[in-house]
Amino acid sequence: MDFDFTDDQESLRDAVRRWVDKGFPFERRHALAKAGGATRAVWGELSELGLVGLVVPEAHGGMAFGAIEAMVVQEELGRGIVNAPYAAAALMAPALLAGAPAAVQAEWLPAMASGEALVVPALHERASRHRWQRVAVRAAAAGGGHRLAGIKCLVPAGDEADAFVVSARLAGADDDAAGIGVFLVKRADVRVVGYPTQDGARAADVHLVDTPATLLQAEGAEALARAVDIGSAAVCAEAVGLMDRLVAITVDYMNTRKQFGATLASFQALRHRIADVKMHLELGRSMSYYASLKLGETAAQRQRAVAQARVQLGQSMRHVGQQCIQLHGGIACTDEYIASHCFKRLTMLELTLGDTLHHLGEVSARMQDTAGVFA
């Protein structure tokens, strides 16, 4: 199999990397995090590069690229520790709007592709425990439309968004996969409580109280499952770029920091540890590729592949992050040093759209007699 990237994909990678190197150095990221994590200005710069419309159809002003191009962009944004809600707003939200009525797509997708509108998914609830199928927010028909009631939490960049794509229950019990609709809600119609997150970004709780909403899909389970898998594959790609950056920083530190008159890189025990770190990074990279390549397969194949990738990436993120912090010593625990920001972001990514144990359960639930090895 040929795993080489095309010339266009390499050009895309170079463009994003140049912007990260010039427009988003660590000093800027640190300043944004200290100021509370607001990144709408960063989103504007990404829109100028055309990145926010990466997967939006050309008919609506986007670039109509696919999963591999999205993976390439996410890797480079991860390498730059760019704390804008790219996966949520540029990848997941357009996927959820793909099944919306034509008039709704025509109203929102061009604005999303140009960066004028920031639309993010609001799927998580306090009791859901990473299960997108558990939806307690209720939708009721009213006056030719719908009204929503409930609370969504941990909405990425929720207090900076212009609208939300919300999952709400039209019928059934809270844990039923059936009966879940997908709705679009404008920011002006809800109460939003924002807060900074541990990794220097922002999130918010969205309070829906008899809130008017536009129905996108009445039976939204399939669309929600696919959007969550797209987001999980993006998490994998971002983690690979971030681990790449952290390993490079650690190797450079080991080559310059001296102990007992010799550089850290000269000690064999430490060389063995960094070799193990590199192995975990490459395992994570290969599984990230696997997840992105499987996004176009059937739902069963896609879900199993993404869950398998998230298990490996969760293990890799934890190992790489912890080992690199230990190889640095005390300096890596300071807020002024880049390694601490890498570690905090890796910790948040491991919990995003399901932690490692959650995805291990997903893998287990989808195992066959052959465990998929001879399928």
Side-chain angles (χ1 to χ4, degrees):
M1 297 180 67
D2 183 9
F3 288 101
D4 290 334
F5 293 97
T6 66
D7 291 342
D8 288 343
Q9 290 164 352
E10 290 292 0
S11 296
L12 178 63
R13 184 188 298 277
D14 290 342
V16 181
R17 184 173 294 188
R18 284 197 300 270
W19 174 80
V20 168
D21 291 342
K22 182 179 293 186
F24 205 83
F26 170 66
E27 292 76 17
R28 183 183 182 191
R29 195 222 188 257
H30 190 206
L32 287 172
K34 290 183 69 175
T39 54
R40 192 61 188 259
V42 178
W43 188 254
E45 293 174 37
L46 293 176
S47 69
E48 292 175 4
L49 292 172
L51 297 179
V52 300
L54 189 76
V55 300
V56 175
E58 291 181 353
H60 295 295
M63 301 171 70
F65 280 147
I68 304 304
E69 288 79 13
M71 181 187 74
V72 167
V73 172
Q74 275 292 99
E75 280 190 15
E76 294 307 316
L77 294 180
R79 187 173 283 108
I81 331 176
V82 179
N83 54 349
Y86 188 81
L91 303 180
M92 293 178 67
L96 289 167
L97 278 164
V104 177
Q105 293 190 42
E107 178 184 0
W108 285 97
L109 284 176
M112 292 166 63
S114 67
E116 179 184 349
L118 177 60
V119 181
V120 295
L123 309 179
H124 189 73
E125 299 180 17
R126 291 192 183 277
S128 63
R129 296 296 299 171
H130 307 305
R131 293 170 295 162
W132 61 263
Q133 302 95 329
R134 192 185 192 286
V135 178
V137 170
R138 294 286 166 170
H146 289 82
R147 298 271 174 170
L148 307 187
I151 300 175
K152 296 291 185 178
C153 61
L154 291 173
V155 179
D159 57 348
E160 299 181 88
D162 299 299
F164 308 97
V165 182
V166 180
S167 58
R169 185 163 296 285
L170 288 160
D174 290 355
D175 288 314
D176 291 345
I180 303 174
V182 182
F183 299 85
L184 185 75
V185 174
K186 295 180 180 179
R187 162 72 185 277
D189 296 326
V190 298
R191 182 169 71 91
V192 178
V193 180
Y195 42 82
T197 54
Q198 185 64 33
D199 60 339
R202 291 195 68 77
D205 293 346
V206 176
H207 295 254
L208 305 153
V209 182
D210 197 29
T211 301
T214 300
L215 178 65
L216 304 183
Q217 294 187 62
E219 289 295 335
E222 184 177 342
L224 288 167
R226 185 172 184 274
V228 169
D229 286 342
I230 289 171
S232 281
V235 166
C236 293
E238 181 179 349
V240 168
L242 188 50
M243 289 189 291
D244 240 347
R245 178 77 177 275
L246 182 55
V247 170
I249 293 167
T250 305
V251 170
D252 183 64
Y253 180 80
M254 292 174 65
N255 283 324
T256 55
R257 178 74 167 90
K258 289 188 175 181
Q259 193 78 4
F260 306 111
T263 61
L264 295 180
S266 66
F267 294 99
Q268 189 174 22
L270 300 187
R271 294 170 71 92
H272 287 169
R273 289 178 70 177
I274 201 68
D276 287 340
V277 165
K278 180 66 172 175
M279 181 189 71
H280 273 272
L281 167 59
E282 295 307 322
L283 284 171
R285 192 192 309 276
S286 64
M287 289 304 291
S288 173
Y289 288 3
Y290 179 61
S292 291
L293 288 168
K294 287 291 187 178
L295 287 179
E297 301 292 338
T298 64
Q301 291 175 305
R302 182 193 73 230
Q303 290 168 356
R304 188 176 69 183
V306 169
Q308 289 170 329
R310 284 300 305 270
V311 171
Q312 178 58 60
L313 265 296
Q315 295 170 350
S316 293
M317 283 188 274
R318 184 176 294 272
H319 184 84
V320 171
Q322 290 177 345
Q323 292 297 316
C324 287
I325 292 295
Q326 291 180 21
L327 287 166
H328 271 90
I331 189 175
C333 299
T334 63
D335 187 56
E336 290 74 19
Y337 190 62
I338 187 173
S340 68
H341 290 252
C342 293
F343 183 76
K344 286 189 285 188
R345 182 59 183 160
L346 285 173
T347 302
M348 290 291 292
L349 285 175
E350 196 268 334
L351 297 170
T352 301
L353 298 175
D355 61 12
T356 304
L357 285 176
H358 168 78
H359 288 289
L360 184 60
E362 293 293 304
V363 172
S364 176
R366 289 171 172 80
M367 285 182 68
Q368 302 168 355
D369 290 341
T370 62
V373 175
F374 303 107

